[in-house]
């Protein structure tokens, strides 16, 4: 993610942005990119960079307490409203706050707006499956890693998706490397998950038992195969089924109906086809694009679902 890391960092350092949201589907590596950007930007913020995990929160009114806990801030008036005291603390300081997993708390964007207005030296890097939809927000869309377009591609090891699969595979089998017997299977895996980092990590976890070709065949057969009990992943990311289930439950019923209808398309579809076949009016289509569930190809204007999401 060297290129993406430089682009995110430049939004703060070169272009002076104060609110940047890394947007993408679950499993795309938004959190890891945000953490890397935080380390890269550390010297730019006199009072430091702090990570706030919003995933465990259930309500918008819990956000101030989560920020205060990350900053180890103790309000002077324990019985008073926390948020005004937090704003007063932040007003005279230069922080970068990483607000991770914002998508289920989008009603909290008004808190972010108040923070931006009251604290001129505070910057925020958010990650979300959906943009915060604010005028001062810079949206950075994160896609999959680069993978070969054909099974006979040259310089296969130069593709970042292949590199991640190899690095993850070597944690399971230290001697694992590309060779003429497995290269086609590795490319198939990268193409099946469309370069999604979490999909590659979960697929590589099976190398202790299966060959790359066998792993690819299992992925083609069932999305539920992409699962692993990896202790350093939160439970919501230990299977692709769980990742998509979280996005699915956040949809309105009419959005669920349309998304399910769009899954019959292979290789993309036009806006007209989406409307005729799945009943996707412009409002719903725009909402699904905004929630990183439907992709719009800028080069030809066609729409598509990620292949793993289509299977789900």
């Amino acid at each position: 993610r060297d290129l993406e890391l430089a682009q995110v960092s430049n939004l703060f350092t070169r272009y002076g942005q104060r609110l940047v949201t890394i947007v993408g589907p679950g499993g795309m590596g938004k959190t890891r990119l945000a953490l890397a950007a935080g380390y890269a930007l550390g010297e730019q913020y006199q009072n430091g960079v702090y990570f706030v995990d919003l995933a465990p929160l259930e309500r918008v009114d819990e956000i101030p307490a989560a920020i205060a806990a990350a900053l180890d801030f103790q309000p002077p008036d324990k019985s008073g409203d926390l948020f005004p005291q937090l704003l007063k603390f932040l007003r005279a300081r230069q922080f970068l706050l990483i607000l991770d997993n914002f998508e289920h708390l989008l009603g909290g964007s008004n808190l972010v707006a108040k923070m931006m207005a009251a604290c001129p030296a505070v910057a925020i890097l958010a990650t979300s499956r959906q943009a915060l939809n604010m005028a001062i927000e810079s949206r950075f869309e994160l896609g999959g890693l680069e993978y070969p377009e054909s099974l006979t591609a040259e310089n296969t090891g130069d593709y970042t998706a292949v590199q991640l699969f190899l690095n993850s595979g070597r944690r399971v089998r230290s001697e694992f490397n590309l060779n003429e017997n497995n290269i086609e299977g590795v490319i198939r895996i990268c193409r099946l998950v469309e370069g999604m980092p979490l999909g590659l990590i979960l697929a590589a976890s099976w190398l202790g038992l299966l060959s790359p070709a066998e792993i690819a065949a299992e992925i083609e057969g069932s999305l539920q195969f992409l699962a692993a009990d990896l202790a350093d992943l939160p439970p919501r990311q230990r299977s692709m089924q769980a990742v998509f289930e979280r996005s699915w439950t956040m949809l309105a019923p009419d959005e669920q109906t349309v998304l399910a209808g769009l899954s019959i398309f292979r290789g993309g579809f036009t806006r007209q086809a989406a409307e005729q076949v799945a009943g996707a009016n412009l409002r719903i289509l725009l909402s699904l694009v905004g929630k990183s569930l439907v992709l719009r190809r800028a080069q030809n204007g066609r729409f598509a679902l990620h292949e793993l999401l289509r299977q789900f």
Side-chain angles (χ1 to χ4, degrees), residues 19-54:
L19 173 60
V20 176
T21 304
I22 301 174
V23 180
M28 204 56 78
K30 300 183 295 296
T31 298
R32 293 194 182 204
L33 178 59
L35 287 169
Y39 283 115
L41 293 166
E43 295 182 359
Q44 305 293 323
Y45 296 90
Q46 181 178 356
N47 299 109
V49 178
Y50 288 84
F51 179 83
V52 185
D53 184 8
L54 302 180

Side-chain angles (χ1 to χ4, degrees), residues 7-33:
Q7 291 171 330
V8 170
S9 299
N10 283 340
L11 287 173
F12 290 98
T13 57
R14 180 177 298 179
Y15 301 111
Q17 301 299 314
R18 293 181 54 221
L19 173 60
V20 176
T21 304
I22 301 174
V23 180
M28 204 56 78
K30 300 183 295 296
T31 298
R32 293 194 182 204
L33 178 59

Side-chain angles (χ1 to χ4, degrees), residues 132-236:
L132 277 57
N133 198 28
M134 297 173 60
I136 62 173
E137 175 186 25
S138 290
R139 174 174 171 167
F140 184 86
E141 295 190 12
L142 187 63
L145 299 171
E146 291 183 329
Y147 57 91
E149 294 294 335
S150 71
L151 296 178
T152 58
E154 297 181 357
N155 302 318
T156 302
D158 293 339
Y159 289 89
T160 51
V162 175
Q163 291 170 11
L164 178 59
F165 183 81
L166 287 174
N167 290 337
S168 301
R170 286 169 183 152
R171 298 187 181 104
V172 181
R173 289 171 50 193
S174 59
E175 80 286 357
F176 181 71
N177 211 337
L178 283 180
N179 58 53
E180 60 182 13
N181 296 320
N182 65 28
I183 190 169
E184 185 173 317
V186 171
I187 294 175
R188 283 177 59 203
I189 291 168
C190 294
R191 295 178 67 189
L192 285 167
V193 305
E194 296 186 8
M196 179 181 284
L198 181 59
L200 293 165
I201 292 170
L202 294 175
S205 69
W206 287 96
L207 280 172
L209 183 64
L210 302 173
S211 70
E214 291 172 321
I215 293 172
E218 292 290 340
I219 295 173
E220 289 176 325
S222 173
L223 176 69
Q224 295 184 359
F225 171 77
L226 285 174
D229 288 327
L230 299 174
D232 56 344
L233 290 179
R236 67 180 186 278

